[in-house]
Amino acid sequence: MSSGAVSLYDPILIIDHRRLGWAIAILHVRRHNWTAHSLELAPWQMLPAAIPLPVAALAVEEPLTVAWSPRLIGLLSSACCRASA
């Protein structure tokens, strides 16, 4: 590789691509004429991640063993009730 060549795996170049992506996203959000509220679109935005995310987690992480207890179930259910209220 010549001294003037740029590596695609250069950390500085990767950061610059991220900045460019953020700039494009900000311009799109500010200039687009939205017809729906962002909370109405949230389920549709999360839907594409609903399948690959658990698959990736199962592939990368080791199996989790949860010690289910009445206290844990109570804590989870109270957290769900507070979030929905």
Side-chain angles (χ1 to χ4, degrees), residues 69-83:
S69 67
R71 183 172 186 265
L72 177 61
I73 294 171
L75 289 170
L76 291 173
S77 63
S78 68
C80 289
C81 292
R82 287 185 194 154

Side-chain angles (χ1 to χ4, degrees), residues 2-66:
S2 68
S3 62
V6 177
S7 171
L8 293 178
Y9 300 104
D10 182 19
I12 301 300
L13 188 60
I14 292 172
I15 290 171
D16 286 344
H17 282 126
R18 289 181 185 166
R19 289 179 184 169
L20 179 62
W22 271 107
I24 291 170
I26 289 170
L27 287 174
H28 172 68
V29 167
R30 289 186 179 176
R31 302 283 181 183
H32 187 72
N33 186 14
W34 300 100
T35 57
H37 193 270
S38 58
L39 290 177
E40 295 171 346
L41 298 174
W44 296 107
Q45 293 171 348
M46 290 182 243
L47 187 62
I51 295 171
L53 189 61
V55 171
L58 289 172
V60 174
E61 297 290 330
E62 59 187 49
L64 179 66
T65 55
V66 178

